Amino acid sequence: MTDWLAQRFGDAVDPTVPRWETVHGDAHWANLFGPRFGLLDWEWWGNGPVGTDAATLLCYSLLVPETAQRVREVFADVLDTDTGRFAQLYATARLLRRVARGEFPDLAEPLERHASTLLRS
């Protein structure tokens, strides 16, 4: 599962998942609804690194900086930890694989910038 994480970031990231949790696996805005919270499309649910869902939502939000900042604020308790940074790199690498297959081309540059920022911290 994390082989592609090592392929993307090489020695810059230890691909060993620090902690696991049950995740939705594809948390993005089209899978959320309200006003009472709901989460759709559970085809990718399973085990993932702690913080995967918050990190995935953040990555999908990078095209709208104000929204990305709000996601960072709301999920700071998860994202601003070593485990959360790992989850962000995991989500970034996973989405960059999808970009390489032609999905979400507009996210390529923001995801690369996000990964660079995480790797410097």
Side-chain angles (χ1 to χ4, degrees):
M1 171 206 250
T2 57
D3 290 346
W4 42 265
L5 187 66
Q7 290 170 356
R8 168 61 63 180
F9 301 118
D11 293 337
V13 176
D14 177 356
T16 306
V17 177
R19 269 187 32 224
W20 295 89
E21 70 180 354
T22 301
V23 300
H24 175 271
D26 195 25
H28 60 76
W29 297 105
N31 285 340
L32 300 170
F33 69 92
R36 294 190 65 190
F37 177 76
L39 189 55
L40 304 170
D41 187 12
W42 284 84
E43 67 190 41
W44 287 19
W45 83 275
N47 288 326
V50 168
T52 293
D53 290 331
T56 302
L57 188 60
L58 173 62
C59 287
Y60 276 114
S61 301
L62 292 174
L63 291 173
V64 183
E66 302 81 22
T67 302
Q69 182 57 37
R70 181 71 177 129
V71 171
R72 279 187 193 95
E73 292 168 2
V74 169
F75 295 105
D77 62 321
V78 174
L79 296 174
D80 290 346
T81 66
D82 290 341
T83 305
R85 282 184 281 287
F86 179 89
Q88 290 176 71
L89 287 166
Y90 172 85
T92 298
R94 192 174 64 173
L95 282 173
L96 283 169
R97 283 177 46 115
R98 294 180 73 182
V99 168
R101 291 189 302 240
E103 298 178 68
F104 317 112
D106 293 347
L107 276 174
E109 187 177 323
L111 287 168
E112 292 288 356
R113 277 195 316 266
H114 186 60
S116 292
T117 299
L118 289 166
L119 291 170
R120 285 192 306 267
S121 63

